[in-house]
Amino acid sequence: MAVTITDWFGYSAADTSVEATSAASNQRCPFIDDSCEKVFQDGLVAGVCALKQTTRAPVVCCPNRLYGDDWKILRDIAAIAFGDKWEFGFTDGWVLTPGRTALSEAIRRGSPVIGVFGKKWGGELRLPQRGGSGSYFVDWILAVVTPTGLAEFVAVEVQTIDTTGNYRASIDGLQNGREIKKSDAAFNWENVNKRILPQVIYKGNLLQREKLCKGGLFFVTPKPVFERIAKRLLGEGNELPEYPLAPGAVTFLSYDPDWENVIPGQPASLLQTGRLTTSVVQVAQAFVGVTNLPPMGAYEDAINAALS
């Protein structure tokens, strides 16, 4: 199914303001304040933040698009995970600081800070894989660091949508007069199910054994991605049971740009569009369970349809 680009280098694809034009010309991402990282193998800088199928809402396809509004998702997660922990001396709001300097910053201030480990914030932290070979990364670790050291932490995964096919025609149109052109690309929904959910389950189980990971794992996606995951796990009309924050918890948070209130010259602000805290056990059981199977005889029907 054809798609069009809705957000390009951080701004609406139809935005011809000085700011949007400058971002595209300089190939700059306003969300990480750096060069766009979405680059094809031949060196073409795509600049594509979100794509839209004809009959559906836009879907964010670059994780950096979710780092807008001054890293809103990290601040929101810190507030959810740590905001009521008054025993840490919380008074004036958490200060986010690169993780590897968090202890010295907490000592300098004489009060806690949030140490952020992740891309551009002090490096990602490796998690050992099953069997001891290789390693996994989590996208972010948010750690409460007091003047005496680590107090607790949570882990954060950020997942948007992968694509299949090619949307170069859409990029060419934007580069030549901001023309909105369709491309032969599509969303790779199944990749989320096959690749991401097993990692969430593995990492969630690993973090469940960490006594200082008191809030568990946070999983951030655009709303359409979370809806597709929920449908994959449980089918239509069902919900995962809610749990409190705990080492074995998985908190799904969905965010989308405010597509309805786009201001020329400004990236659309982020809206939190969903939140659910459940357990990694519930996610794993739903993922491998047999309650959401297609009708009996589905393969037979498919074979007969092909024969006819």
Side-chain angles (χ1 to χ4, degrees):
M1 184 176 290
V3 299
T4 56
I5 297 171
T6 57
D7 264 31
W8 194 47
F9 289 104
Y11 297 82
S12 168
D15 190 346
T16 57
S17 67
V18 172
E19 294 83 357
T21 302
S22 175
S25 176
N26 295 318
Q27 301 181 337
R28 194 147 187 96
C29 173
F31 310 113
I32 61 172
D33 192 25
D34 206 341
S35 299
C36 173
E37 297 178 343
K38 209 171 186 68
V39 182
F40 290 113
Q41 288 185 343
D42 63 0
L44 175 67
V45 180
V48 178
C49 307
L51 295 164
K52 184 183 187 307
Q53 290 180 332
T54 304
T55 59
R56 298 183 180 179
V59 185
V60 173
C61 61
C62 177
N64 288 341
R65 180 63 184 89
L66 296 180
Y67 300 147
D69 298 2
D70 193 23
W71 305 90
K72 173 180 171 62
I73 65 169
L74 299 185
R75 299 180 188 280
D76 284 356
I77 291 169
I80 294 168
F82 313 129
D84 61 349
K85 303 299 176 68
W86 297 98
E87 65 267 28
F88 293 138
F90 171 70
T91 54
D92 300 323
W94 297 108
V95 176
L96 271 61
T97 189
R100 299 190 189 282
T101 61
L103 181 57
S104 59
E105 180 66 11
I107 293 171
R108 186 184 73 80
R109 290 175 175 270
S111 61
V113 298
I114 301 294
V116 182
F117 294 92
K119 184 170 58 177
K120 302 184 184 297
W121 279 81
E124 295 171 305
L125 299 180
R126 294 178 182 270
L127 296 176
Q129 282 193 24
R130 195 190 315 270
S133 61
S135 60
Y136 275 137
F137 289 103
V138 288
D139 291 321
W140 303 94
I141 293 288
L142 302 184
V144 178
V145 181
T146 72
T148 58
L150 176 64
E152 68 173 83
F153 68 93
V154 294
V156 182
E157 283 287 314
V158 180
Q159 176 65 34
T160 52
I161 186 67
D162 293 328
T163 57
T164 60
N166 193 310
Y167 47 71
R168 284 175 178 266
S170 296
I171 296 173
D172 290 342
L174 292 174
Q175 289 176 332
N176 295 283
R178 289 274 175 170
E179 181 184 359
I180 307 298
K181 294 180 65 174
K182 292 182 179 180
S183 290
D184 253 352
F187 297 131
N188 189 359
W189 296 109
E190 189 55 30
N191 191 47
V192 175
N193 298 328
K194 292 189 297 186
R195 182 172 63 86
I196 299 304
L197 280 172
Q199 285 197 35
V200 168
I201 293 166
Y202 174 76
K203 293 173 184 177
N205 277 304
L206 185 64
L207 292 163
Q208 189 172 7
R209 302 177 65 202
E210 296 287 330
K211 64 180 180 180
L212 293 184
C213 186
K214 299 177 182 180
L217 176 65
F218 284 76
F219 187 47
V220 181
T221 70
K223 184 178 180 181
V225 175
F226 172 63
E227 290 175 340
R228 184 57 65 101
I229 290 171
K231 183 178 179 180
R232 164 63 180 82
L233 292 177
L234 295 171
E236 297 284 358
N238 297 313
E239 295 182 354
L240 289 165
E242 293 195 46
Y243 278 67
L245 291 179
V250 178
T251 298
F252 292 97
L253 290 172
S254 66
Y255 286 83
D256 289 282
D258 187 0
W259 310 113
E260 302 299 322
N261 296 289
V262 178
I263 300 172
Q266 297 181 22
S269 59
L270 284 176
L271 300 175
Q272 188 182 123
T273 51
R275 174 177 166 184
L276 169 69
T277 299
T278 187
S279 76
V280 66
V281 172
Q282 292 290 339
V283 174
Q285 287 178 343
F287 184 65
V288 301
V290 295
T291 59
N292 188 26
L293 296 176
M296 186 171 65
Y299 268 104
E300 179 182 340
D301 292 342
I303 294 168
N304 284 326
L307 292 174
S308 63

